Amino acid sequence: MTAGGRLRDLVVGGRLLLNGVEWRVEAIEPQLGRFCLLHEDGRREERTIRWLIQHPDVRQVGGRRPGQRERAVGQPRSRADLTEARLKQAMIRAEHVREAATGFRDGHPSRARPGEPRPAYDPDGTTLTQRRQAKVDELGAMPAHEAEVLGLKGLGLRTLQGLTALEGESLLLACADGRWTRRRIGHPSVTEEIRQAIFAVRKECGPRSRIGMRAKHRLLHQYVRESFPDFPVDKVPSRWTLTRVWEEWFGPGGGRQRYLRTAEAAAEAGVGHRFVVHRPGQVLALDSTPLPVQLRETVFGEPVTATLTLGLDLFTHSLPAFRLTLGSDTSVDIAMLLRDVMMPLPMHAGWGEDMAWPYPGVPAEIITEFAGHEVAALPFFAPETVTTDHGGPYKNHDLVEAERELGCNILPARVLRQTDKFAVERVFGAIKTLLFEHLLGFTGTDVADRGADPETDAVLTLTQMEHLIATWIVRIWQTRKLGEYAPVWGPGEDHSPNSLFAVAMQQGGWSMQIPAAELYYQVLRKHHVRVHPRRGVKILGLWYHDDALEQDRFRGPSGRGGKHAGKWVVHSDRRDRRQVFFQDPDDHDTWHTLHWTGLPAEGEIPAFSDTSVTELLEHVRRHGLAPRSDEDLLPILIELLTATTPVNQWPTQKTRRGRASGGKRGRSARAREDSRGRAAAADRAAGEPPAVEEAAPTPLPGIERAVDASRRRRREKAQRREPVAPPLLDDILRRRSLFLLPGGLGEDAPTTAEEGA
């Protein structure tokens, strides 16, 4: 097992250093893909092997193995590091050493040169010490300029003793002067001030248009002059030195400014590294696109548009999961898609045996036993890295938290880099040409290519389209030849997503991890709230309650510390706001469903999303029905108290005679207030209204009471009005006639024949 090259093997009893903390491996369960860690203080933690492989800071505790050498600093030297002249000098030095050791320049009698061995170095008549001393005398008698050029000046007996113990390549490198291949120390003229100035100039050149190195050198002078006034101007490196340093530090920089900026942003985000995908689930690409087919909604039968979200495995090019959403997708839909990738797809109605689980190595009976249903021929796995674009739902913090909960690494695609997720873009095009173009209601790629009336042609519902896409993926896409997407180890072979997944199972194995049903709750949005007595929890403006919250363990703050100290974690599904979910702190496998307190009997209120709640609350605020704080209601409360219990009626403010200045009316009001207070206390204690002599009418809700009052006022007003007979038609015509003369000429005035005519 390897975790970033730092972990060699995982054995029981071994010690691991995780984030600087030492743990001991207590148990390993390879059949379940998990192991148990034990801390020195007695803590135990169960982790998966996949989690250990992906851990960024893991080390294996222990010393060096027997026979293992200490790691040398830097790469070793070789004869290739020497120039041709220096190599000749080192070879001459090695020849002198070999002659002193063996009597022959090449080190063996079989390769003896003419005149060898010389009398002073004959191994048959001299000892090794005599030959070494003769070599020291010979080099000492050599002219000084020759010995200096060959590097043999000052060669002593002790040096020869150390060199004669070496042979071959080691002897040649030992005879080479270390100054010839010494490590580079950089540019001495690049001081800390110049280094700071170079990075400042590079940062300034990023958002600017492209400029030459001469302009950058002038900016370097300007920065040094303004930031370091005491720095000598003659110590600033030249333009040629700046060019070399710039190329060594930042590369040649031949790219366009737009691409250089996006590449720099990707490097800062940690996504600028090259990925080599070599196993299923290593990289899962996600993307969304408008579905190019009009659908029919099932309520009114109107044509609607949908969004198609795909998950593509970059190694096998399988489509392990997809989602269809009316309108636009949300972070919850994408989180559930990641959950679908990890879950085996159940067989649909009408699917035959050719669409059942076919992969070798893992029998279908075992998959069916663990999953609880018959599994279709579609791979499922735990995604390790998720790459997405920069759309709003993909950058949502709730989705990021869900991806971390699933143990996924997040790898956003670079801006303006279509090559980062070109595979999923091509899949969208392939599905359009292979499936969507043949369906009624197809809208085309562009508005100009759209049909006369695709809305009228729409016949498929959302459920029918989901079944059609799932059938097409399992039966056609997973068995279709990939073409240019063949693996690198088999460029001339024909492969499909199913065959690549089967080969990967045989090469590296396959970890069957079927998550529990509780995974649905874990990927939902988290809210850190407090539990209010008898009211429950308040989530995004709505109150939720369940009888489980009435237990004593939930009455106080939770034991959670840190940023959300004393609060409880509640999960909500923004698609259905009728209930939220609460994990039991004592039993993590138990989840409590908290229902909305305003929810009537089951089935009377349809599902509503957070958008509906937002619109409702906005409507309430516009009509003045928004809740008011205690500070806003304080003046009204003071007015009520002044009318019922004024200050002069307080017991401590009464007159000496013991009589209240308010009289009997004031005392009665005070008694009513005391009675209401006791009734409220009884309601809180027993939950039932106090017994009264006469049954009081049940108060109506605020909205119904206002409607009844409005109807009553209109009815009373109509009853007080006396009935009046309608006017005659002749009177109405005369009142509105334009031919009547003003003044005293009315009905009794004489009318001439001309006027009458």
Side-chain angles (χ1 to χ4, degrees), residues 308-311 320-324 337 340 465-467 469-470 473:
L308 174 62
T309 306
L310 284 181
F322 73 94
R323 281 273 169 167
L324 275 181
L337 185 141
D340 294 342
M465 178 59 75
E466 289 179 346
H467 177 75
I469 295 178
I473 289 176

Side-chain angles (χ1 to χ4, degrees), residues 120-121 129-140 160:
Y121 303 100
T129 304
Q130 293 175 347
R131 293 194 296 273
R132 290 173 178 171
Q133 187 61 44
K135 179 58 67 176
V136 171
D137 297 339
E138 178 186 356
L139 297 179
L160 280 177

Side-chain angles (χ1 to χ4, degrees), residues 325-338:
T325 310
L326 290 182
S328 60
D329 55 347
T330 61
S331 58
V332 180
D333 300 313
I334 302 173
M336 292 302 163
L337 185 141
L338 292 176

Side-chain angles (χ1 to χ4, degrees), residues 430-451:
I431 297 179
K432 183 189 69 173
T433 57
L434 296 176
L435 178 62
F436 294 152
E437 288 184 354
H438 307 284
L439 302 178
L440 292 176
F442 177 67
T443 58
T445 306
D446 196 354
V447 178
D449 299 332
R450 185 165 297 179

Side-chain angles (χ1 to χ4, degrees), residues 24 129 158 176 182 270 305 383 385 446 454 480 557 598 605 615 692 698 704:
R24 184 173 64 86
T129 304
R158 298 290 297 269
R182 66 180 180 182
T305 58
T385 302
D446 196 354
R480 186 171 178 268
I605 297 296
E615 294 176 355
V692 293
T698 303
E704 297 180 1

